[in-house]
């Protein structure tokens, strides 16, 4: 029984060794161009996540002001349908229409850069994953021994393993960073709402009162952590 934890730790280290080797081949042991592209791809993924969180935050603020403006303009327009409109009311109505159009222009200003940046970033991420696969394949081919009896389906297994590994790292890194940056961007809003809205009064949620005004942020962070933990536990059973 005393050797069981040691064996489990050795198995964990042995299981991480191939993944660390595949990371080293692209980020440290490849050609100079591969290494530059590897780290540049990481910065592109981080930049896209930060920019995406900023866009979500900006659109959230735009929704608040724009729909308030629509409500005010709609009420003004309805009140003027059945009433005689003088020059002052007509000027207010014209100004309201201009504000609506300016709001739409503001929305285009917010999402326009992202509409250009996002496809370019996706292409770079796909090329990044492909370049990683090619780097791994070159390292495998360098150690290929034609004198050893071939293993059936070895080439397909190499293709699938490198594809799944590089794409998996790119996807999981992107999802994790998007979630983290989004939570970080909306933290001020959650903190502000926590000062205006009290935690649920149900006994099962009494522990939320311990966080004070930051209870909404704590709830969001806990939900994200639990979701990530459940996904990792469930996903670990699907591998191997």
């Amino acid at each position: 029984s005393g050797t069981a934890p040691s064996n489990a730790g050795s198995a964990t280290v042995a299981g991480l060794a191939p993944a660390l080797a595949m990371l080293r081949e692209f980020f440290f042991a490849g050609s100079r161009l591969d290494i530059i592209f590897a780290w540049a791809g990481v910065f592109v993924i981080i930049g896209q996540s930060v920019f995406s969180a900023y866009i979500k935050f900006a659109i959230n603020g735009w929704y608040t002001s724009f729909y308030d403006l629509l409500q005010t303009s709609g009420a003004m327009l309805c009140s003027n349908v059945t009433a005689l409109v003088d020059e002052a009311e007509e000027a207010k109505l014209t100004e309201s229409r201009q504000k609506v159009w300016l709001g739409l222009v503001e929305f285009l200003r917010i999402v326009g850069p992202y509409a250009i940046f996002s496809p370019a970033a996706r292409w770079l991420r796909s090329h990044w994953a492909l370049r990683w696969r090619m780097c791994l394949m070159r390292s495998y081919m360098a150690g290929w021994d034609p004198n050893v009896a071939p293993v059936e389906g070895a080439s397909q297994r190499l293709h699938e393993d490198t594809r799944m590994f590089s794409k998996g790292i790119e996807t999981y890194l992107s999802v994790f960073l998007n979630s983290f940056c989004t939570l970080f961007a909306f933290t001020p809003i959650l903190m502000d709402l926590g000062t205006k809205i009290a935690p649920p009064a149900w006994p099962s949620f009494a522990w939320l009162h311990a966080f004070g005004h930051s209870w909404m942020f704590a709830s969001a962070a806990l939900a994200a952590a639990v979701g990530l933990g459940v996904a990792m536990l469930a996903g670990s059973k699907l591998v191997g």
Side-chain angles (χ1 to χ4, degrees):
S1 59
T3 60
S6 177
N7 292 336
S10 300
T12 302
V13 173
L16 289 175
L20 293 176
M22 287 190 281
L23 288 170
R24 185 178 63 251
E25 284 295 334
F26 190 40
F27 287 92
F28 300 102
S31 65
R32 179 176 298 180
L33 184 59
D34 285 335
I35 294 175
I36 293 175
F37 203 91
W39 290 103
V42 172
F43 284 112
V44 167
I45 294 175
I46 295 175
Q48 185 182 16
S49 300
V50 173
F51 192 43
S52 176
Y54 165 75
I55 293 297
K56 293 175 184 177
F57 180 79
I59 290 178
N60 182 76
W62 178 85
Y63 278 147
T64 303
S65 60
F66 185 74
Y67 284 111
D68 287 345
L69 178 62
L70 284 184
Q71 183 178 5
T72 304
S73 301
M76 187 183 303
L77 182 63
C78 292
S79 64
N80 291 330
V81 170
T82 57
L84 295 176
V85 181
D86 56 15
E87 293 184 0
E89 292 295 330
E90 182 65 28
K92 290 181 180 180
L93 194 58
T94 301
E95 182 183 2
S96 178
R97 291 195 186 101
Q98 291 177 350
K99 289 182 178 179
V100 170
W101 281 109
L102 289 176
L104 294 175
V105 172
E106 177 68 14
F107 179 77
L108 291 176
R109 187 189 68 80
I110 294 173
V111 302
Y114 189 74
I116 299 173
F117 174 76
S118 182
R122 285 180 177 272
W123 181 85
L124 286 173
R125 285 167 47 184
S126 299
H127 188 69
W128 181 76
L130 176 61
R131 200 175 189 96
W132 196 345
R133 289 174 56 192
M134 296 299 295
C135 185
L136 291 176
M137 291 300 298
R138 286 195 295 269
S139 66
Y140 292 158
M141 293 301 296
W144 189 274
D145 188 357
N147 297 320
V148 177
V151 178
E152 184 178 358
S155 59
Q156 182 179 0
R157 181 64 184 271
L158 287 175
H159 166 74
E160 288 297 321
D161 286 353
T162 55
R163 182 188 66 84
M164 293 175 64
F165 181 81
S166 59
K167 187 63 178 177
I169 292 293
E170 181 258 330
T171 301
Y172 296 145
L173 180 61
S174 176
V175 170
F176 175 78
L177 288 174
N178 281 335
S179 301
F180 177 80
C181 293
T182 300
L183 180 61
F184 181 81
F186 282 89
T187 295
I189 296 177
L190 294 173
M191 298 293 288
D192 182 60
L193 288 176
T195 62
K196 300 175 182 178
I197 303 174
W202 301 328
S204 57
F205 291 95
W207 56 274
L208 287 174
H209 293 269
F211 294 97
H213 295 319
S214 60
W215 72 271
M216 293 193 73
F217 169 76
S219 300
L222 180 62
V226 171
L228 179 63
V230 171
M232 290 177 63
L233 290 175
S236 64
K237 304 298 182 182
L238 301 177
V239 179

